[in-house]
Amino acid sequence: MTQINVDKLIADYPLVQDLIDLKPIAWFNPNVTTTQAGLPYVGLTIEDVQDAEARLNRFAPYLMKAFPETQATQGIIESEVVTIPQMQAALAARYQTPITGKILLKKDSHLPISGSIKARGGIYEVLTHAEKLALAAGILSTDDNYEILFSEQFRQFFSQYRIAVGSTGNLGMSIGIMSAKLGFSVSVHMSADARQWKKDKLRSHGVNVVEYEQDYSIAVEQGRKEAEKDPNCFFIDDENSTTLFLGYAVAGLRLKKQFADQGVTVDNDHPLFVYLPCGVGGGPGGVAFGLKLAFGDAVHCLFAEPTHSPCMLLGVHTGLHDGVSVQEIGIDNITAADGLAVGRASGFVGRAMERLIDGYYTIEDSEMYNLLGLLNQTESIKLEPSALAGMTGCVHVTQNTDYLQSKALTPTKLANATHLVWATGGGMVPADEMQKYLSQANLN
Ligand SMILES: *Cc1c(COP(=O)(O)O)cnc(C)c1O
């Protein structure tokens, strides 16, 4: 790996100095293209996403059996979209910015099985692997009712195989719980910032939790090493997996149906802005890909990162992608935002999606806590800190007149806009942990 010359990087990209100074900033990428021009660079197509959706439909009867909490949605792991009018008014007051249009909240925080956005990609990748093994062994056909997977015979079969993953917490929860339920022997390599309750929960499901003193990158590296030693061990690669990415992307097509059912219009005159908390990039990248397929140029995606872990902003802005980490420019990558404590972004996602993401911004941990308290106070919705990162996106969009002009987003269009805050986690946080989060909010 080549050494990063920080002085030169700052000279070429003055914004890097703001990142180093830990300032909350927004950067709107001047190089975004139309959806049509940008999509070919992703290397995946709508057929791939439809294939993923069909696979999830095949597994729905199994999931209903294995996780009764999915019965309400017929075995489909999907979340609600809700309005948050009181929070919208509170945001406008807090940032002294009139926010026209409507703010909605996508509650992936309350997805069944693992209570975070990782219940999309993580679970999808485990199911894909399980299906592949069972099909190859000739014990399953895609025409079968997958309910049969919920049996001792299949658990025995899967128990010959191992799955490993590196995680800051939520990915490990999704992959660990799903793998263990199917019968796999599964190891989750957890970074130092992972919460104790997540480790405890995984162990209670029979997952082998391996703990590290270092951050996410080391945990991933160790997981990969473990898997290399064992041909029966499958390593789930959060940084490069197109399977994970496709599992997330299914959200776009589903949201389109959800909006149609709820009477939410999205078109050229009714723009949709979506604010996605970003860690390594697979979750927000995959969801954004699905959204672009579903809504085209009418959807505008922004990624949100903690000021202490702005890896995607850094990678895309400098064009270095995974060739630079926040630590190399002197940022510590320490944040309370689970899932977002990532120092080096996925090179695959950055390169695939940079033409399709309108902007990136950072937010301080203290502000995530404040917004966590504010959302609880105004709407009685409880999220984990990372899930609040999307909440300031509408303020950045509204305040950036250059960006609005460049996209011909007139006041009339903004009055018709939908601002969708993707709430990525928090539904399974134990009450005493939530109390600690809430006590960190300072709303004066
Ligand atoms: C993982 C995670 C994200 C971001 O997903 P990446 O794929 O890492 O970018 C956002 N929020 C929460 C709560 C997460 O767990």
Side-chain angles (χ1 to χ4, degrees):
M1 209 167 293
T2 51
Q3 186 86 31
I4 297 294
N5 180 336
V6 179
D7 291 337
K8 181 164 190 315
L9 203 61
I10 295 168
D12 292 346
Y13 304 98
L15 201 72
V16 170
Q17 184 64 57
D18 291 341
L19 294 180
I20 294 170
D21 295 341
L22 305 176
K23 286 189 193 150
I25 56 160
W27 174 61
F28 289 87
N29 187 354
N31 300 321
V32 288
T33 64
T34 61
T35 305
Q36 204 189 359
L39 279 175
Y41 291 91
V42 181
L44 297 163
T45 63
I46 191 156
E47 285 77 23
D48 296 317
V49 182
Q50 285 162 342
D51 179 58
E53 195 176 21
R55 182 164 294 105
L56 288 168
N57 291 341
R58 286 198 291 278
F59 272 98
Y62 166 76
L63 291 173
M64 277 172 77
K65 281 251 155 173
F67 298 97
E69 67 266 37
T70 65
Q71 280 170 11
T73 50
Q74 313 295 315
I76 298 298
I77 301 168
E78 193 45 73
S79 69
E80 279 185 310
V81 176
V82 299
T83 57
I84 46 169
Q86 268 87 250
M87 184 66 175
Q88 179 162 354
L91 285 172
R94 183 173 183 82
Y95 300 104
Q96 298 177 6
T97 300
I99 295 160
T100 59
K102 196 178 267 182
I103 302 183
L104 302 179
L105 190 72
K106 179 67 173 160
K107 290 175 75 180
D108 273 15
S109 47
H110 292 73
L111 282 174
I113 302 176
S114 64
S116 82
I117 188 171
K118 303 294 192 316
R120 297 183 184 277
I123 288 175
Y124 175 68
E125 177 135 19
V126 174
L127 297 178
T128 304
H129 183 59
E131 184 183 57
K132 194 171 130 203
L133 290 171
L135 291 174
I139 54 174
L140 181 73
S141 132
T142 52
D143 298 329
D144 286 339
N145 181 335
Y146 279 24
E147 235 178 67
I148 59 171
L149 294 169
F150 191 69
S151 64
E152 206 36 50
Q153 181 213 338
F154 273 94
R155 287 184 54 83
Q156 281 288 332
F157 171 72
F158 291 125
S159 72
Q160 313 165 69
Y161 299 94
R162 298 177 55 218
I163 289 180
V165 67
S167 170
T168 64
N170 287 336
L171 184 66
M173 291 257 285
S174 295
I175 286 173
I177 293 171
M178 188 66 247
S179 303
K181 182 69 84 174
L182 280 160
F184 287 105
S185 159
V186 52
S187 297
V188 175
H189 297 258
M190 290 276 212
S191 52
D193 51 305
R195 312 266 168 191
Q196 190 59 43
W197 69 267
K198 292 185 181 175
K199 298 176 195 168
D200 295 344
K201 193 171 179 87
L202 281 174
R203 289 192 172 118
S204 78
H205 279 86
V207 174
N208 174 31
V209 177
V210 190
E211 300 179 57
Y212 294 91
E213 303 275 315
Q214 299 95 339
D215 83 349
Y216 166 83
S217 300
I218 303 292
V220 171
E221 205 179 292
Q222 293 303 317
R224 188 177 278 129
K225 269 195 199 140
E226 181 196 330
E228 274 166 5
K229 284 186 276 184
D230 179 355
N232 276 338
C233 185
F234 178 63
F235 175 67
I236 295 185
D237 185 351
D238 193 18
E239 291 169 323
N240 299 294
S241 169
T242 53
T243 309
L244 269 177
F245 189 84
L246 288 169
Y248 290 116
V250 169
L253 307 180
R254 293 207 192 136
L255 184 70
K256 191 167 187 168
K257 288 193 202 101
Q258 228 170 359
F259 272 176
D261 291 344
Q262 297 187 12
V264 177
T265 306
V266 178
D267 60 26
N268 192 35
D269 294 322
H270 302 76
L272 169 64
F273 298 91
V274 184
Y275 309 107
L276 295 148
C278 179
V280 75
V287 169
F289 175 54
L291 290 168
K292 280 286 168 187
L293 290 171
F295 300 105
D297 292 331
V299 65
H300 305 272
C301 299
L302 276 81
F303 284 3
E305 295 176 295
T307 50
H308 283 256
S309 306
C311 65
M312 189 61 84
L313 201 170
L314 175 67
V316 174
H317 182 67
T318 61
L320 292 171
H321 295 290
D322 54 350
V324 64
S325 69
V326 302
Q327 289 95 336
E328 286 167 296
I329 63 165
I331 303 179
D332 60 12
N333 188 33
I334 294 177
T335 167
D338 288 25
L340 309 188
V342 177
R344 189 183 298 276
S346 159
F348 151 62
V349 173
R351 290 186 184 90
M353 293 301 295
E354 60 184 331
R355 294 162 198 80
L356 298 170
I357 306 303
D358 281 17
Y360 307 77
Y361 65 88
T362 57
I363 177 169
E364 290 178 327
D365 276 26
S366 57
E367 193 61 2
M368 289 186 237
Y369 279 120
N370 295 339
L371 293 168
L372 188 155
L374 197 60
L375 185 68
N376 182 51
Q377 195 181 75
T378 55
E379 306 282 350
S380 300
I381 297 174
K382 294 181 175 63
L383 303 177
E384 61 182 293
S386 23
L388 279 302
M391 210 53 90
T392 50
C394 60
V395 179
H396 290 297
V397 163
T398 306
Q399 290 178 345
N400 201 304
T401 43
D402 287 347
Y403 163 65
L404 293 174
Q405 261 170 23
S406 76
K407 290 247 159 180
L409 291 160
T410 61
T412 313
K413 287 188 189 177
L414 288 181
N416 294 329
T418 300
H419 298 275
L420 185 64
V421 177
W422 211 280
T424 46
M428 288 191 179
V429 176
D432 56 331
E433 294 286 328
M434 186 54 74
Q435 218 41 55
K436 284 186 216 156
Y437 286 157
L438 287 167
S439 71
Q440 305 243 15
N442 182 355
L443 296 177
N444 300 313

